[in-house]
Amino acid sequence: MGSPVRRWPAALALVLLLAGCGGGTERTAQPPAWQTPSPTAPAPLTAQEAKGRYLAIVAPYNTALEELQEALKAGRPWRTVRALARTVAATNAAHAEQLRTTVWPAKAQAPVAALLKENDLALRHWKLAGEATSAEALMREIRAAAAHDGGEEATKVRATLGLPVYQKP
């Protein structure tokens, strides 16, 4: 530790330097901009992790679809089916978001992207089905959504992940 007399000149020089008094300009020195380090991207899932993650993501959507199909087969009132269509729309949107935010193994990325494209087309119709004001409008939107069920794309995702083909109950 030095004497207080020796520290003052060094401290004064530092203050003058930071205050910009070393030259004839009126500029003040700007402190360095502190930034938090950018987060590193998460590593892709392992093949085993991807299998479990995919099944967990699609399970609620598959269950909602199955409940809707059962209601249709049972001839339930259209308002009941419309409520189930709302559930399908909500689970469809949630599962799409989870699929998008998961870092899939490289070999699964293209099939998942294709599934998401088809999912986006179906989601629009599921939302409209959930808002239908008549049985005819409801069935029209359900058929339109079903035309974009993503079955082929999901089969490719499952094959890429080493999962068996989905068997509808």
Side-chain angles (χ1 to χ4, degrees):
M1 223 182 201
S3 73
V5 176
R6 289 187 185 163
R7 282 188 281 166
W8 275 107
L12 183 59
L14 181 61
V15 169
L16 291 174
L17 179 66
L18 292 176
C21 294
T25 65
E26 291 293 318
R27 295 181 59 199
T28 58
Q30 296 294 318
W34 296 105
Q35 298 176 355
T36 56
S38 62
T40 56
L45 297 177
T46 65
Q48 193 61 33
E49 291 169 335
K51 286 179 184 183
R53 181 78 176 129
Y54 179 79
L55 293 174
I57 288 172
V58 300
Y61 177 62
N62 289 342
T63 299
L65 279 174
E66 291 163 10
E67 290 173 0
L68 178 86
Q69 291 168 346
E70 289 172 15
L72 287 170
K73 287 178 187 176
R76 299 289 195 128
W78 74 271
R79 286 181 173 87
T80 301
V81 175
R82 179 180 62 189
L84 292 169
R86 281 189 201 120
T87 301
V88 170
T91 58
N92 181 285
H95 112 287
E97 181 62 24
Q98 291 173 355
L99 288 171
R100 274 189 184 85
T101 59
T102 299
V103 183
W104 299 101
K107 66 182 181 177
Q109 290 175 4
V112 169
L115 176 59
L116 283 166
K117 283 183 182 180
E118 201 63 13
N119 187 82
D120 289 345
L121 295 171
L123 179 56
R124 176 178 172 270
H125 295 289
W126 284 123
K127 287 179 178 178
L128 291 170
E131 299 168 359
T133 57
S134 70
E136 294 78 22
L138 173 65
M139 291 310 299
R140 181 179 60 245
E141 295 305 331
I142 288 174
R143 282 191 295 276
H148 299 286
D149 70 355
E152 288 180 37
E153 293 80 5
T155 298
K156 289 178 184 173
V157 170
R158 292 175 79 88
T160 301
L161 297 176
L163 293 167
V165 174
Y166 175 69
Q167 301 294 322
K168 295 179 186 177

